[in-house]
Amino acid sequence: PAVATGNELIRFEQPLTERMRTFLRIELLYEQTLFHVEEPSDFGARAAVAALLEILTILGRGDVRADVIKELERHADLLRRYRSQPGVDPARLSGLIDGVAELRVRLAEAGPHLMNPLKECDFLTTIRQRSAIPGGTCTFDLPDYGYWLNLPSAERRTQLDEWTDRLKPLCEAVAEVLWLTREATEPEQLTASGGLYHHSFDRNEQVSLVRVLLPGNAGIYPEISAGQHRFTVRFVRWRGVAARPTPVAQDVRFLLAVC
């Protein structure tokens, strides 16, 4: 994502479930991977591999694939309910439903072991183990990695594309789930009295993500703390990297989406 400037809105998001927290981390790391894959330098390749290995670490902590499939099915059910709503564009809605169904089929066909080729790659495993050590992937530690990094950029790119293609079914499905989650709720303009805003959830409300949007030139940012039944947004003023932020005492107008 491009850096916001001027009045362009910056989004601040707070996940409310472990599943949403995992999805947001995968989204960030996959975007980083794709960005650095485009860089022809060996440092770009290093950054792409590092982000890819972090995704593998996350995927090793649970059945993320099953969670994504469940979320796709849930969103498909929600979309189908809109068919009876007035003012809905049926062509647009059918396209969304078909897109979700296609992603689900691709993920299901990939199977539960879609990441095994990456997890079982000795080359990546060694880099992953050494990455826990600061500077542990120097060429004197990993001469084979150093050799690979000095291959022609086109040859490295072919290998990186092969690895990222393995991640694509899951990561694109995660991106679609997050897009549907964000787009399902229109941001509402609110006021934080004295720089503080409290929100309590309805008993039957299923919420997984809080989004606060502010102009890029506002000079402030939110600190969001959330619990099972409520969340609080506290606005603080940015004072540079050498000073501690200070709480905002005046009222703050902001956009909020509870998804």
Side-chain angles (χ1 to χ4, degrees), residues 174-191:
V174 167
E176 182 71 5
V177 167
L178 291 174
W179 184 84
L180 290 168
T181 299
R182 290 165 177 144
E183 292 298 314
T185 304
E186 187 74 19
E188 178 183 4
Q189 190 167 66
L190 298 171
T191 300

Side-chain angles (χ1 to χ4, degrees), residues 36-65:
H36 290 298
V37 161
E38 298 292 335
E39 297 180 15
S41 69
D42 59 334
F43 285 111
R46 279 183 175 273
V49 169
L52 183 148
L53 291 176
E54 288 192 53
I55 294 175
L56 289 183
T57 298
I58 292 174
L59 298 181
R61 295 173 181 166
D63 194 349
V64 178
R65 173 181 164 275

Side-chain angles (χ1 to χ4, degrees), residues 9-157:
L9 293 176
I10 307 178
R11 76 181 189 208
F12 299 88
E13 297 181 329
Q14 177 65 42
L16 302 179
T17 65
E18 188 60 34
R19 180 178 293 181
M20 181 57 63
R21 189 173 292 111
T22 297
F23 289 175
L24 290 173
R25 286 174 175 157
I26 290 174
E27 177 190 49
L28 169 66
L29 292 169
Y30 188 58
E31 288 178 352
Q32 287 182 0
T33 302
L34 296 181
F35 177 86
H36 290 298
V37 161
E38 298 292 335
E39 297 180 15
S41 69
D42 59 334
F43 285 111
R46 279 183 175 273
V49 169
L52 183 148
L53 291 176
E54 288 192 53
I55 294 175
L56 289 183
T57 298
I58 292 174
L59 298 181
R61 295 173 181 166
D63 194 349
V64 178
R65 173 181 164 275
D67 289 341
V68 177
I69 289 176
K70 289 177 183 176
E71 285 298 311
L72 288 172
E73 292 172 346
R74 185 176 72 83
H75 280 287
D77 289 339
L78 291 173
L79 288 170
R80 282 191 284 267
R81 294 176 191 173
Y82 283 110
R83 282 176 170 158
S84 59
Q85 298 295 323
V88 172
D89 182 344
R92 172 67 170 155
L93 182 59
S94 295
L96 288 173
I97 294 172
D98 292 344
V100 171
E102 181 181 349
L103 287 169
R104 188 195 177 288
V105 169
R106 285 175 54 197
L107 198 52
E109 289 178 346
H113 306 297
L114 76 162
M115 297 300 159
N116 280 8
L118 298 181
K119 294 177 181 178
E120 296 170 0
C121 175
D122 291 338
F123 181 75
L124 289 177
T125 298
T126 304
I127 298 171
R128 184 176 176 181
Q129 292 169 345
R130 297 296 306 179
S131 295
I133 303 170
T137 60
C138 288
T139 54
F140 62 81
D141 288 305
L142 298 173
D144 56 343
Y145 192 26
Y147 181 84
W148 181 79
L149 288 168
N150 281 280
L151 290 174
S153 60
E155 190 171 342
R156 290 199 313 267
R157 175 62 187 267

Side-chain angles (χ1 to χ4, degrees), residues 164-223:
T164 53
D165 284 346
R166 179 65 58 173
L167 295 169
K168 187 177 291 186
L170 187 142
C171 291
E172 288 188 348
V174 167
E176 182 71 5
V177 167
L178 291 174
W179 184 84
L180 290 168
T181 299
R182 290 165 177 144
E183 292 298 314
T185 304
E186 187 74 19
E188 178 183 4
Q189 190 167 66
L190 298 171
T191 300
S193 300
L196 199 62
Y197 176 81
H198 299 281
H199 182 98
S200 297
F201 302 123
D202 293 335
R203 180 171 300 179
N204 298 322
E205 193 175 7
Q206 292 185 341
V207 179
S208 60
L209 184 66
V210 173
R211 307 181 71 222
V212 173
L213 296 90
L214 289 169
N217 61 357
I220 61 176
Y221 63 90
E223 293 179 341

